[in-house]
């Protein structure tokens, strides 16, 4: 089994002993959501503070929800600030490249590499794994209520919906052919309950379909 890239939902638990960071993201009512009108410098500072691991040429950071990886010319994206982020991390001429990242609507771990050869090999691995329908991501979510089964599979139709200024993924019951044509996606995921308490559950999910 290949390497697993963990990505966490916006309902992730804070690790034991961790403290909420102050700064462009830490002062928000919900730190996982990217604030509006963030300057380029503030975004670089926020991403540097969001680095959770560095090993060799690889850098892992926790991307806030609402930050696109790529976009139109002039748009503030993760890709657009990689040169400044690379310098901020002391990489000098070794500019970071995106290996793996969650979408704009999700918070989650982003894998970067300052080595083009390493980035290329990992990207090819993820492409091959996706074509072979081998899951390479684990998501963690806290549920309101405890699932009846401790492990199993979830089949659901999902779509993006704009709610309170944020694009959120919401379920669609009994999607029609028109819904599918309009972008509703059928998904299949494996789930496992890791822990329970106070009427909630910490659940691990592995997407078996779609990007993931």
């Amino acid at each position: 089994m290949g390497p697993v890239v963990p990505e966490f939902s916006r309902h992730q638990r804070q690790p034991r002993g961790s403290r909420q960071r102050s700064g462009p993201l830490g002062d928000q009512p919900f730190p996982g959501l990217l604030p509006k009108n963030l300057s380029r410098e503030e975004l670089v500072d926020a991403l540097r503070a969001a680095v959770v691991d560095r090993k060799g040429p690889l850098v892992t950071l926790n991307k806030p929800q609402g930050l696109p990886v790529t976009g139109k010319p002039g748009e503030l994206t993760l890709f657009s600030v990689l040169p400044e982020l690379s310098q901020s991390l002391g990489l000098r001429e070794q500019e970071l490249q995106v290996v793996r990242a969650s979408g704009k609507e999700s918070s989650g771990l982003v894998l970067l590499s300052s080595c083009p050869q390493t980035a290329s090999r990992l990207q090819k691995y993820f492409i091959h794994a996706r074509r072979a329908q081998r899951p390479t991501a684990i998501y963690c979510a806290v549920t309101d209520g405890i699932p009846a089964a401790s492990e199993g599979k979830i089949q659901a139709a999902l779509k993006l919906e704009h709610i309170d200024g944020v694009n959120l993924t919401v379920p669609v019951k009994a999607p029609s052919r028109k819904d599918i044509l309009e972008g509703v996606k059928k998904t299949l995921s494996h789930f496992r309950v890791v822990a329970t308490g106070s009427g909630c559950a910490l659940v691990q999910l592995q997407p078996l379909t779609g990007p993931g």
Side-chain angles (χ1 to χ4, degrees), residues 3 40 54 66 72 76 80 92 98 102 127 142 156-157 190 208:
R40 192 178 189 89
R54 292 183 67 173
K72 299 177 182 178
L76 197 60
S80 71
R92 299 181 182 180
V98 177
S102 53
I127 291 172
V142 175
H190 177 266
L208 303 178

Side-chain angles (χ1 to χ4, degrees), residues 33-102:
L33 183 62
L34 187 72
K36 294 181 179 180
N37 303 318
L38 203 64
S39 71
R40 192 178 189 89
E41 293 75 17
E42 287 175 329
L43 178 57
V44 172
D45 288 343
L47 292 176
R48 186 181 67 240
V51 171
V52 295
D53 187 56
R54 292 183 67 173
K55 187 175 294 184
L58 300 177
V59 175
T60 308
L61 61 84
N62 192 16
K63 183 186 79 67
Q65 180 187 0
L67 175 64
V69 177
T70 60
K72 299 177 182 178
E75 186 179 356
L76 197 60
T77 64
L78 173 63
F79 186 81
S80 71
V81 299
L82 284 180
E84 292 98 318
L85 180 61
S86 301
Q87 291 184 358
S88 177
L89 294 174
L91 297 175
R92 299 181 182 180
E93 297 179 359
Q94 297 175 305
E95 187 172 310
L96 289 166
Q97 300 180 42
V98 177
V99 176
R100 179 79 167 176
S102 53

Side-chain angles (χ1 to χ4, degrees), residues 16-32:
R16 290 182 181 179
S18 66
R19 294 183 301 171
Q20 183 177 341
R21 291 188 180 100
S22 60
L25 300 183
D27 294 336
Q28 297 299 310
F30 176 62

